Amino acid sequence: PEASTYVAPYKSRLFLLLSDGYTLQYSKVTGIGDPVRFNAAFKIPMDDFGGRATCAAAMDDHLIIFKERSIFAMTGEGPNDLGAQDDYRTPYLVTSDAGCIDPNSLVNNPNGIMFKSSKGIYMLKRNFTLQYIGDSVEAYNDERINTATLHPTLIQIRLTTSNGTGLVYDYYCNRWSTYT
């Protein structure tokens, strides 16, 4: 594969956001125990609308591609190992209202995908609507997110920030709390 800035699994493949910020490269189908293999022709160009791609994640049947100021999505099974029967299409625009500026903030959860934009923290819901959820933690918008984790047993998403503050989002009650 070429040099990349982000890697995301999607339907038995790995998708790479190449260093140019405007190209996706994807692997051949990979099974359990198989090595990841690439074909130099397996690339999808993206236009420059919304800036450079910053991160990506699978949500249900879609690959969601986050750019700096927009969000795109795509579906499909992709080509076979010889490049035939390719049903991938150019990613389509989901929203131009916000994008992800901090790949460390990206976290899948039962409601969708949470991420930090230049405007604060948002949730891309499973129905592809965008919900601003960061109103209670706007004081931390200038902080870099170090980690974002879906708690395995509680109904919480936990973010750690560059200043050491932890932000906890209860996605059932839609409430925030902090800890140090």
Side-chain angles (χ1 to χ4, degrees):
E2 294 185 28
S4 62
T5 57
Y6 199 86
V7 178
Y10 174 66
K11 292 189 175 182
S12 300
R13 298 180 190 261
L14 287 183
F15 275 74
L16 311 177
L17 299 177
L18 297 188
S19 296
D20 68 2
Y22 302 101
T23 308
L24 291 170
Q25 184 175 21
Y26 55 93
S27 72
K28 296 179 178 183
V29 173
T30 303
I32 295 173
D34 291 339
V36 178
R37 300 168 294 137
F38 286 85
N39 178 329
F42 287 2
K43 294 180 182 173
I44 300 171
M46 296 180 290
D47 65 32
D48 60 357
F49 182 81
R52 297 168 57 88
T54 58
C55 51
M59 182 171 72
D60 301 328
D61 198 36
H62 293 80
L63 179 67
I64 310 299
I65 301 121
F66 293 85
K67 289 187 155 197
E68 296 163 329
R69 297 176 307 281
S70 61
I71 302 171
F72 287 76
M74 62 175 276
T75 61
E77 300 301 320
N80 61 27
D81 285 351
L82 300 175
Q85 302 171 337
D86 185 3
D87 65 347
Y88 286 152
R89 298 292 174 255
T90 302
Y92 60 90
L93 182 66
V94 172
T95 182
S96 60
D97 189 45
C100 183
I101 61 166
D102 192 341
N104 290 336
S105 69
L106 195 71
V107 61
N108 276 347
N109 63 83
N111 294 337
I113 302 174
M114 177 193 278
F115 63 97
K116 180 181 174 187
S117 81
S118 61
K119 301 176 183 182
I121 299 176
Y122 279 84
M123 181 79 69
L124 177 65
K125 299 178 92 179
R126 294 195 179 283
N127 64 2
F128 288 86
T129 58
L130 197 59
Q131 179 184 7
Y132 181 65
I133 60 171
D135 55 339
S136 299
V137 290
E138 286 180 348
Y140 301 95
N141 281 354
D142 292 335
E143 297 295 326
R144 190 180 79 247
I145 303 297
N146 292 332
T147 62
T149 308
L150 177 67
H151 194 284
T153 59
L154 301 175
I155 49 175
Q156 296 177 347
I157 298 169
R158 296 181 177 186
L159 309 175
T160 59
T161 66
S162 56
N163 76 357
T165 301
L167 307 176
V168 179
Y169 180 67
D170 180 315
Y171 56 84
Y172 180 75
C173 296
N174 297 317
R175 291 194 185 140
W176 287 94
S177 58
T178 61
Y179 66 93
T180 55

